[in-house]
Amino acid sequence: MAVTYVLVHGAWHSGQSWARVVPRLGASGSRVFAPTLTGYGETRHLLSPDVGLGTHIADVVGLLVDEDLTDVVLVGHSYAGMVISGVANEVPERIARLVYLDAMVPTDGESALDVLPIIRDMIGSDWRVPPPPAPFGLFGLTDDADIAWLNTMVSDQSALCLREPVAMDAPALAAIPRTHVHCTVTPPGVELRPVPAVQPNGDPADVRELATGHDCMITMPAELAGMLLDIGSQASARASAPAGAGR
């Protein structure tokens, strides 16, 4: 059974950030989508004060519906943990597994500022939020070529993305399995929330690690792709299992 991956980039980035991962997943026969959210990258001309978390949730929901994607492994990096949570709340029937990739993991009604308060210091009086300065703005990159490539794709974002709360109140949302991937090289002051030992659906927590900085899709694309393929195979097996057999 072919696996469908939808890879959602984080704040300030674009879909281009997955360029080293997409072909590795595609080589397995998987379908892979890496959209650029409204206001970033090639759509930066669409950025406005009204672009927020709801805009980005609608972007991804629209992709799933327009392409009629089901049994999706939905991957959210960083800020996109907020996005995939909202997407799964709206169309839980299309999602096979949520993958929080070094990502914000909200609860119902929380904003990005609630999940990671340190980013409050990045928001000024303007509605535009530029990429943060080093070391945060390097997103864990150390190679000069990687940094130069990153600088071709990063752009401002709207503060509304960080202030707008996410709804996670659909009963079916709790049934979706989750995987959490943590990058272990982190700058001072950045700490992800502990993952509860039991998922909302009752399964044991699935937590994995990559020994690299935040932008692991750039620094460890082969290792990340291998991990996602393993996660996808588990999701596929679960989706194919008879009713009541570990689902």
Side-chain angles (χ1 to χ4, degrees), residues 82 104-120 162-166 193:
M82 305 292 299
M104 299 179 185
V105 185
T107 59
D108 183 41
E110 286 190 315
S111 70
L113 295 177
D114 297 319
V115 178
L116 195 63
I118 193 173
I119 62 177
R120 293 181 185 274
L162 307 176
R163 294 191 173 113
E164 193 171 2
V166 65
R193 287 177 169 176

Side-chain angles (χ1 to χ4, degrees), residues 29-55:
S30 302
R31 299 181 71 193
V32 189
F33 297 83
T36 291
L37 303 175
T38 298
Y40 299 104
E42 64 269 26
T43 69
R44 68 186 69 188
H45 62 286
L46 299 177
L47 187 66
S48 77
D50 298 325
V51 170
L53 176 61
T55 310

